[in-house]
Amino acid sequence: MIADRIVLTLAATAVIVVAGWAYLRLGDRALAALPRGAYRRLVPWLFAGPAVAMVLLALAFPAVVTVGWSFVDDDGGFAGFANYTQTLSDEVTRVALRNTVLWVVLLPTLAVLAGLAIAVLADRVRYGALVKAALFLPIAISAVAAGVIWSFMYDYQPPGAPQTATLNAVVTALGGEPVAWIVDTATNNYALIGATLWTQAGFAMVIFDAALRSVPGELLEAARLDGASEWAAFRHVTLPFLVPTVVVVATTMTVTALKAFDIVYVMTNGNYGTDVLSTVMYRALFTAKDNGLAGAVATILMLTVVPIMVFNVRQFRRESAAA
C-alpha cells in the first residue's frame, strides 16, 4: 500500500513537471510568432496565467457559488433575500454578530499591544531571546490543540473541590472563588479571545521585532542627546516608523478574528452565548443542511472582509508610491 502511494506520488509529480515544461515551451513558441510589442505585453501572462487560474478556481469560483446559494431556497428555487432576512432576524445570528464585533475590536488591539510591547521591551533585557522564543512557540500549535490546552486552563470545579485548572487554582490561592470561565457569559467570550491571542501574539511580536530593526539608530541617538526620555523617543521617533507595520498586523488580526472558528468550536461549540458567524454558518450547512442559509451567512462574512482587503490594497499602493 505504501509502495503504491509512493509510485502514484512520483508519477503525479512527473506528470506535473512535464506538463509545466510543455506549457511554458509551447506557450513561448506561440507568443514568439506574434509581433514584438504583443509578445512583450503577453509573455508575463504566460507565467502568471497558472497562478491566476488557480486563484479563480480555488477562490473566485467558490465565492460566486456561495453567493448564488444564498439566493436559493430549500427546494432549489429563487428565494430572493429571504435567507438574509431569516438569518439577520434570528437571535442566534444577532448574538454571533455581536460576538464577532467583539472579536474584531479586541483581538487586533490586544495583539498589536502585546506584540509591540514585547518586541520593544525584550531587547532591553539579557533574556529577551528566551522571552521571544516562549511567545513564538504557540504559533506552531494548531488552533484545535490550543483550544484543548486552554479548556484545561479554564476548567471549573465547584468551590471547595480541588481546582485542577491553572487559572482557578491561582484565583482560589489568592482567596477568591473559582470562575466558570467558558460557561459564564460575563467571561466566556473574553476567555476565547484570550486563548486565540496566545496563539497569535507571537506572530505580531515577530513582525514588530523585524520592523524595529529598520528604525535608524542615529535618530534615536539624536533624540536622546536632545534630552528626550525613552518614552518620548519611542513616541516621536520609533512609532511613526512602525505605523505601516501596525496597519499590517492589525488588519491580519482582524481577518483572523472574522474567521475565528476552531477555538470556539473546540472549547464551547458556540454554546453559552459564544457563537460567531463561522459557527452559525457551520451549523447551517452541516447540521441543518440548509445551503441557502449557510450561503447567506458566508456572504455576510465575505462582505465584512472586503473593506479590509480594499484598505490593504490602497495602503500597499500608497507605500509603493512613497517608495
Side-chain angles (χ1 to χ4, degrees):
M1 182 65 69
I2 297 178
D4 292 341
R5 292 181 179 179
I6 293 175
V7 171
L8 184 61
T9 301
L10 292 175
T13 303
V15 169
I16 293 173
V17 170
V18 172
W21 176 85
Y23 165 78
L24 293 174
R25 184 69 173 174
L26 297 176
D28 185 65
R29 286 186 177 182
L31 293 179
L34 299 175
R36 185 173 182 81
Y39 175 83
R40 297 183 64 180
R41 288 194 304 270
L42 294 176
V43 74
W45 289 102
L46 180 66
F47 297 94
V52 173
M54 289 298 296
V55 169
L56 292 176
L57 183 63
L59 295 178
F61 178 71
V64 172
V65 171
T66 300
V67 174
W69 273 116
S70 70
F71 294 102
V72 176
D73 58 23
D74 291 337
D75 299 324
F78 181 69
F81 289 95
N83 289 320
Y84 293 94
T85 304
Q86 179 182 347
T87 189
L88 291 175
S89 62
D90 185 18
E91 179 62 24
V92 173
T93 305
R94 287 202 292 267
V95 171
L97 281 168
R98 182 197 66 198
N99 291 340
T100 301
V101 171
L102 183 67
W103 277 75
V104 167
V105 172
L106 288 184
L107 184 61
T109 303
L110 295 176
V112 167
L113 292 177
L116 181 58
I118 295 174
V120 172
L121 298 176
D123 283 336
R124 301 174 182 270
V125 295
R126 290 181 299 174
Y127 50 87
L130 182 62
V131 172
K132 293 178 183 179
L135 188 65
F136 184 77
L137 279 177
I139 295 179
I141 300 175
S142 69
V144 173
V148 173
I149 291 170
W150 281 91
S151 293
F152 290 125
M153 294 282 287
Y154 291 137
D155 192 28
Y156 169 80
Q157 299 296 331
Q163 298 298 323
T164 57
T166 304
L167 289 183
N168 277 327
V170 173
V171 170
T172 54
L174 295 176
E177 292 292 322
V179 179
W181 299 98
I182 58 178
V183 176
D184 190 345
T185 55
T187 59
N188 51 16
N189 283 296
Y190 302 104
L192 296 177
I193 293 171
T196 306
L197 177 64
W198 180 70
T199 66
Q200 299 297 324
F203 165 80
M205 181 269 298
V206 169
I207 300 300
F208 282 123
D209 187 59
L212 285 170
R213 311 295 179 191
S214 66
V215 179
E218 299 83 3
L219 294 181
L220 290 172
E221 194 64 31
R224 294 188 183 103
L225 290 175
D226 287 341
S229 63
E230 289 297 321
W231 168 247
F234 172 79
R235 180 183 175 185
H236 297 290
V237 179
T238 304
L239 193 57
F241 279 94
L242 297 180
V243 169
T245 307
V246 170
V247 172
V248 170
V249 173
T251 52
T252 303
M253 291 298 104
T254 301
V255 173
T256 301
L258 286 171
K259 65 179 186 179
F261 173 78
D262 313 65
I263 283 182
V264 178
Y265 183 78
V266 170
M267 297 181 68
T268 65
N269 196 21
N271 295 316
Y272 319 118
T274 59
D275 261 321
V276 289
L277 287 176
S278 297
T279 56
V280 173
M281 178 187 67
Y282 176 86
R283 284 201 302 273
L285 182 60
F286 294 104
T287 303
K289 306 295 183 182
D290 191 335
N291 292 338
L293 195 61
V297 178
T299 302
I300 293 172
L301 196 54
M302 284 193 295
L303 290 176
T304 59
V305 176
V306 169
I308 301 172
M309 294 174 57
V310 172
F311 176 79
N312 269 345
V313 170
R314 289 183 176 178
Q315 185 72 15
F316 177 75
R317 289 179 176 176
R318 200 174 295 121
E319 292 177 8
S320 299

